[in-house]
Amino acid sequence: MQLRFDDDVEAFRAEFVAFLDANLPGVEETTERPTSTAHMPAWARRWQRLQFDNGWLLPGNPPEYGGRNATLLQQFVHLEELGKRHIYHSFNPQGLGIIAASLLTFGTEEQKRRWAVPILKAEITAALGMSEPGAGSDLAGLRTRAVLDGDHFVVNGQKIWTSGAHDADILLTFVRTDPDAPKHRGISVLVIPTDLPGITRRPFGSIIGADDLDFNEVFFDDVRVPAENLIGQLNKGWHVANGSLGHERTMLWLGFADRLDELVADVRPATPLERDRYATLAMDAQALRLLGSAALARAARGEEDVASISVLKLFGSEAVRTASRHALLAQGSAGLARDGHSRPFEHMNLDWFFASWFDRYAHSFSGTIAGGTSEIQRTIVAERVLGLPRV
């Protein structure tokens, strides 16, 4: 296996590193902290816009959408350099990585101009309205209704776990538009501005604490949404959903690998048992990067390999959860001290919200849920890798 890149990719990396060295915001500029994944202080908006204007926000995009038509391998080293510095290119990750990407894939030219570009430029923020109280991993079970009434849809229902909804300007919302169709059909996707009458957003705490207000429940009570806000075709929202989750899973393993490397460095083994655990974590980190590199090479050759992405997602998320636990134990009682908000900017990626090692450990469980649960990934692996029959 060739674990190095060609000269053009390394030149691309060097250009990006030079941009980061010259333009990263300093500590004195970043005193205002984001309070949710859709809340962006002025400095965070300036940082994202600077990347957009220079083609470094999403390098794989064309220039008009914040990129430079980068190859897959160039996109990889871009993310790798961000990971090395523990920084994030956007503090509205679902807006950038899922919603804007979905709009660019499925939206009309007017919809791209109206919503995708402002999200990319950090002029507005967005949240994803998928999960419901009775439809979490099973999106096809959603019951939020949208009934066409003239040139508007009338929306009624509820969403939950909607990260950043109370700070977002728009919601990319999955609704049922044909209740008589089979579960996977009859779903449509609407962009719903959060200032429309009839929308109620209620943030609530998480396992990290009551003051960790990112999750929301969102209620729709006869919300009238212009029909022109329909993304893709009517009743074809399942196709959009698969594309949205595909955007979320793209090179997701690299984030797990970066986190695993960081956690392994924070485990300080003392006893023989701890040294054994440490060795296992170190091997997991190496294995994840090797498996990921092989999957990346296949993708660069144009080979589609959904199963390997599931393997990487499953292995990476669960390895990070295990590593987080061992890192917490290695800290002893100090791991419960809530002093994380004193970390300087170079460590202020989305971990910015975590004030203790326990917070990090508790949040590590989300990696086994977001982007497709471990149970779903195991089903995919069983069917597509092992060839087991569907049950």
Side-chain angles (χ1 to χ4, degrees):
M1 180 184 295
Q2 177 183 331
L3 294 179
R4 59 184 176 81
F5 297 98
D6 293 335
D7 291 344
D8 64 319
V9 177
E10 290 300 341
F12 185 90
R13 184 201 300 272
E15 186 179 355
F16 181 50
V17 168
F19 170 82
L20 291 177
D21 289 341
N23 293 287
L24 266 182
V27 174
E28 70 283 353
E29 300 175 62
T30 61
T31 54
E32 184 181 357
R33 313 298 177 89
T35 56
S36 81
T37 54
H39 169 244
M40 296 181 67
W43 70 263
R45 293 178 186 267
R46 289 194 298 270
W47 167 234
Q48 184 169 321
R49 178 60 186 268
L50 182 66
Q51 295 170 87
F52 178 93
D53 290 342
N54 286 273
W56 290 119
L57 183 63
L58 294 172
N61 286 358
E64 61 269 27
Y65 298 126
R68 48 182 63 200
N69 293 314
T71 67
L72 183 65
L73 295 180
Q74 289 172 335
Q75 294 173 60
F76 176 84
V77 298
H78 169 263
L79 292 176
E80 191 174 46
E81 289 303 320
L82 290 173
K84 286 180 180 177
R85 296 172 181 247
H86 307 295
I87 59 177
Y88 216 79
H89 53 326
S90 173
F91 287 86
N92 180 214
Q94 67 274 10
L96 184 69
I98 302 176
I99 299 166
S102 297
L103 290 169
L104 292 179
T105 301
F106 300 102
T108 65
E109 291 304 314
E110 195 279 333
Q111 290 170 340
K112 295 175 187 179
R113 178 194 60 78
R114 185 178 177 188
W115 294 306
V117 172
I119 292 172
L120 295 170
K121 290 182 176 180
E123 295 169 351
I124 64 174
T125 60
L128 183 65
M130 271 190 172
S131 296
E132 298 184 4
S137 295
D138 181 21
L139 176 66
L142 69 84
R143 290 183 288 185
T144 295
R145 293 280 303 277
V147 178
L148 190 59
D149 179 22
D151 58 356
H152 282 72
F153 287 97
V154 180
V155 180
N156 284 279
Q158 178 187 357
K159 297 292 179 181
I160 200 165
W161 314 115
T162 314
S163 299
H166 61 300
D167 289 317
D169 297 295
I170 62 171
L171 304 173
L172 187 70
T173 311
F174 289 76
V175 296
R176 187 163 297 283
T177 45
D178 185 352
D180 299 322
K183 279 204 323 180
H184 291 74
R185 303 175 187 174
I187 295 174
S188 299
V189 184
L190 298 173
V191 169
I192 303 182
T194 56
D195 59 356
L196 290 179
I199 296 179
T200 302
R201 295 168 285 169
R202 295 178 183 169
F204 59 89
S206 72
I207 191 173
I208 294 176
D211 57 344
D212 175 48
L213 298 179
D214 193 39
F215 289 141
N216 279 252
E217 51 184 353
V218 182
F219 299 90
F220 303 93
D221 184 12
D222 288 335
V223 179
R224 295 186 63 82
V225 181
E228 64 188 21
N229 289 21
L230 175 70
I231 305 301
Q233 299 179 46
L234 184 68
N235 299 324
K236 301 293 185 181
W238 188 253
H239 182 53
V240 180
N242 286 331
S244 298
L245 292 176
H247 292 307
E248 185 179 19
R249 293 169 182 157
T250 301
M251 289 192 268
L252 184 63
W253 68 269
L254 179 58
F256 291 131
D258 290 336
R259 169 44 51 88
L260 203 53
D261 288 343
E262 179 183 347
L263 288 167
V264 168
D266 284 310
V267 175
R268 297 186 293 273
T271 68
L273 177 59
E274 289 172 346
R275 285 194 290 272
D276 181 72
R277 289 172 175 167
Y278 175 85
T280 299
L281 296 180
M283 287 188 290
D284 284 349
Q286 179 70 357
L288 182 58
R289 287 198 172 273
L290 291 173
L291 288 169
S293 296
L296 181 68
R298 287 192 293 271
R301 293 193 297 267
E303 301 173 14
E304 185 175 353
D305 190 356
V306 175
S308 70
I309 299 300
S310 291
V311 171
L312 288 164
K313 165 59 167 68
L314 175 63
F315 176 45
S317 62
E318 296 196 348
V320 166
R321 186 179 64 188
T322 300
S324 297
R325 177 174 179 271
H326 292 320
L328 171 62
L329 292 174
Q331 307 299 316
S333 59
L336 301 177
R338 299 183 64 84
D339 60 356
H341 293 327
S342 63
R343 289 194 296 272
F345 178 78
E346 57 266 31
H347 297 291
M348 286 180 184
N349 57 6
L350 294 185
D351 288 345
W352 201 342
F353 303 109
F354 308 148
S356 72
W357 274 99
F358 175 78
D359 293 349
R360 290 186 178 191
Y361 169 62
H363 192 266
S364 70
F365 285 79
S366 69
T368 65
I369 300 171
T373 65
S374 288
E375 292 75 13
I376 295 296
Q377 305 308 322
R378 282 187 167 86
T379 298
I380 294 172
V381 172
E383 294 175 0
R384 301 195 187 186
V385 178
L386 302 178
L388 298 178
R390 299 190 66 175
V391 178

